């Protein structure tokens, strides 16, 4: 059988490769420890860093845990304390992704190649950045139930962009009528579009129940 695994026992962690102590945005004490050059059991070729964030003043609830663990894959010279404390901004990042998908149509086009989707993602990111830069230049269009005490959101700025776009104009030349196109030459054979394999998500396997002794 062997010795049972120990989970949550600090004596099994081993000495940390680095630590940092400071305060968060609310002025509460935070202790960050990390262990570098670790590997996943099923992916030995991937080197990761495990980060432990300890906040003694936390309420220890699901949304405000006292002890948090994170997995970092990237440059070993990154400021791991800033990475751990920056995780609290994940909530705003999720809303940004939702805005890109719903309002900027990030996931709407049906593109064929990864290069096309990468180009479209860059265009969506540029539009999002333009909305952020235009925030102090436009008067946000608010709904009756929206408050004026907060900074304008990208969605509110997007509603008011028609006025500023009309003032800026466009570098494109006006369209000229060309008449009817002659079309493709007679006898042209159009090959079928290349097909790419569809990536499906694997279904989670059924959990096996352990028999009680």
């Amino acid at each position: 059988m062997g010795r049972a695994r120990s989970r949550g026992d600090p004596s099994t962690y081993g000495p940390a490769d680095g630590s940092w102590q400071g305060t968060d945005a609310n002025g509460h004490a935070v202790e960050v420890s990390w262990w570098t050059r670790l590997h996943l059991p099923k992916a030995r070729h991937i080197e990761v860093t495990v980060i432990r964030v300890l906040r003694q003043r936390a309420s220890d609830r699901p949304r405000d845990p006292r002890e948090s663990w994170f997995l970092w894959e990237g440059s070993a010279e990154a400021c791991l304390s800033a990475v751990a404390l920056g995780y609290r901004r994940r909530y705003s990042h999720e809303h940004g992704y939702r805005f890109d998908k719903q309002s900027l149509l990030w996931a709407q086009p049906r593109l064929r190649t990864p290069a096309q989707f990468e180009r479209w993602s860059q265009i969506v990111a540029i539009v999002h950045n333009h909305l952020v830069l235009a925030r102090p230049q436009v008067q946000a269009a608010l709904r009756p139930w929206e408050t004026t005490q907060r900074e304008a959101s990208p969605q509110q700025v997007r509603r008011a962009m028609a006025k500023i776009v009309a003032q800026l104009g466009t570098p494109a030349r006006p369209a000229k009528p060309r008449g009817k196109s002659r079309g493709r030459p007679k006898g042209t054979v159009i090959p079928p579009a290349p097909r790419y394999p569809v990536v499906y998500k694997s279904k989670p396997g059924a959990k096996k129940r352990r028999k009680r002794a």
Side-chain angles (χ1 to χ4, degrees):
M1 296 292 292
R3 183 176 179 270
R5 293 184 179 180
S6 299
R7 297 183 179 179
D9 185 3
S11 61
T12 62
Y13 298 161
D17 296 324
S19 61
W20 175 85
Q21 293 182 355
T23 57
D24 57 7
N26 298 326
H28 299 159
V30 178
E31 181 181 350
V32 181
S33 305
W34 56 83
W35 292 259
T36 59
R37 305 188 66 179
L38 301 179
H39 301 272
L40 301 177
K42 296 184 179 180
R44 296 288 182 179
H45 61 284
I46 299 179
E47 190 173 288
V48 297
T49 299
V50 176
I51 307 174
R52 179 196 182 201
V53 180
L54 187 62
R55 299 183 299 128
Q56 298 293 348
R57 295 288 299 276
S59 59
D60 204 16
R61 296 179 180 179
R63 293 189 177 183
D64 189 25
R66 186 170 300 167
E67 183 182 23
S68 304
W69 291 88
F70 304 98
L71 198 67
W72 166 261
E73 180 188 359
S75 175
E77 299 179 357
C79 184
L80 299 180
S81 58
V83 172
L85 297 178
Y87 184 78
R88 299 190 61 181
R89 300 182 180 179
R90 176 177 176 268
Y91 182 77
S92 60
H93 292 175
E94 295 292 342
H95 279 274
Y97 294 144
R98 186 182 67 173
F99 172 73
D100 291 344
K101 291 181 178 180
Q102 295 181 356
S103 300
L104 302 185
L105 309 180
W106 184 19
Q108 189 69 18
R110 295 293 181 259
L111 305 175
R112 295 182 180 271
T113 63
Q116 293 175 351
F117 185 77
E118 181 70 21
R119 189 179 302 111
W120 174 247
S121 299
Q122 294 175 358
I123 294 175
V124 172
I126 292 173
V127 174
H128 195 147
N129 292 338
H130 282 182
L131 293 177
V132 176
L133 295 176
R135 181 181 295 169
Q137 306 297 332
V138 300
Q139 184 177 2
L142 304 179
R143 301 299 189 192
W145 58 86
E146 294 176 345
T147 179
T148 59
Q149 303 299 325
R150 297 180 180 178
E151 191 176 18
S153 65
Q155 181 69 283
Q156 296 169 349
V157 176
R158 188 187 69 86
R159 301 191 197 118
M161 281 298 293
K163 298 179 180 179
I164 191 172
V165 169
Q167 297 176 4
L168 294 176
T170 173
R173 297 179 180 179
K176 296 182 180 180
R178 295 292 184 181
K180 292 185 178 181
S181 175
R182 293 179 296 178
R184 297 186 178 90
K186 189 176 181 179
T188 302
V189 179
I190 303 175
R195 298 289 181 177
Y196 298 91
V198 180
V199 179
Y200 296 97
K201 293 183 178 180
S202 59
K203 296 182 179 180
K207 296 183 179 179
K208 297 182 180 180
R209 296 183 178 180
R210 296 183 178 180
K211 296 182 180 180
R212 295 183 179 179

